[in-house]
Amino acid sequence: MLLGGVALDELPLGSARAAVLVQDKDPVLLSGTLRELLDVPSPGTVAAEDALAAAQCADVLDALAQASAGGDGDPMGTRITERGRSLSGGQRQRLALARSLVADPEALVLDEPTSAVDSHTEARVAAGVKRLRQGRTTVAFSSSPLLLDLADRVALVRDGRVVAAGTHRDLLRDEPRYRAVVTRETDDGTAIPAAPDARDRPAPTDASRSAEAIKEVEERA
């Protein structure tokens, strides 16, 4: 991987850590207030309010405001329990995303950043991230059609190698292997049964969720 034309492993460790931020699939939220959670090293170019809006955290702010003293306090000053246990998986994931957006690194790597939210929230999160990350490099590991549709370039990786690359719609049309991954279909066109998935709402199967997402993408076209 190159950063500014230089191999990442050739950069000083401090420089690499300052330039590249990786958000894990299951990020950890430490106890503290929301203000403290978002107080991360950053160039100061992304305001906390903008990051929270892009990550679709309005419901989280409402919940924290209600949990504050008197039920009408400042959500930024409300304390989040250890590992965010008082929040849903989707809320924790979106708060972690907001924290990464505030950091505004030169390169942001996201591992399934919308895996714990429903497809409608996912579409808004994807659009918010794209808008806020203009002019920066963002790499997302995902099989979500809504997220992939907003990417400038999509790469299909098999056994550690890129086997196809292009836009989401071009690959969906021309690359059967990519289509099988994104739509969760077998070679004969039947859907692969999905295991239960923990989301903010009762979870559909992966196949029905992908079909819904593709339909939404097509309607936006």
Side-chain angles (χ1 to χ4, degrees), residues 6 11 14 50 62 83 85-87 92 127 129 131 137-138 140 144 147 150 167 172 219 221:
V6 180
L11 290 173
D50 294 334
D62 289 343
R83 295 184 178 272
R85 291 192 181 95
S86 59
L87 304 172
R92 290 194 299 271
V129 171
R131 181 178 65 254
T137 297
T138 305
S144 161
L147 199 62
L150 292 181
T167 67
L172 198 62
E219 288 174 348

Side-chain angles (χ1 to χ4, degrees), residues 45-134:
T45 51
V46 176
E49 293 77 9
D50 294 334
L52 290 165
Q56 300 299 308
C57 292
D59 63 315
V60 186
L61 296 178
D62 289 343
L64 291 176
Q66 290 300 316
S68 65
D72 56 357
D74 177 11
M76 298 295 290
T78 303
R79 193 169 188 81
I80 298 172
T81 58
E82 183 69 27
R83 295 184 178 272
R85 291 192 181 95
S86 59
L87 304 172
S88 71
Q91 289 174 328
R92 290 194 299 271
Q93 189 176 59
R94 283 176 284 139
L95 279 183
L97 176 59
R99 178 178 59 188
S100 296
L101 293 174
V102 167
D104 196 27
E106 184 175 342
L108 175 60
V109 181
L110 303 172
D111 184 5
E112 294 286 0
T114 56
S115 62
V117 300
D118 62 77
S119 60
H120 299 289
T121 302
E122 182 174 42
R124 294 192 293 269
V125 169
V129 171
K130 184 177 179 67
R131 181 178 65 254
L132 211 57
R133 291 289 299 169
Q134 289 291 336

Side-chain angles (χ1 to χ4, degrees), residues 3 5 7 19 25 32 71 85 87 95 99 133 137 142 163 168 185 188 210-211:
L3 183 65
K25 185 175 182 179
R85 291 192 181 95
L87 304 172
L95 279 183
R99 178 178 59 188
R133 291 289 299 169
T137 297
S142 178
V163 296
H168 165 68
E185 290 183 349
D188 61 4
S210 295

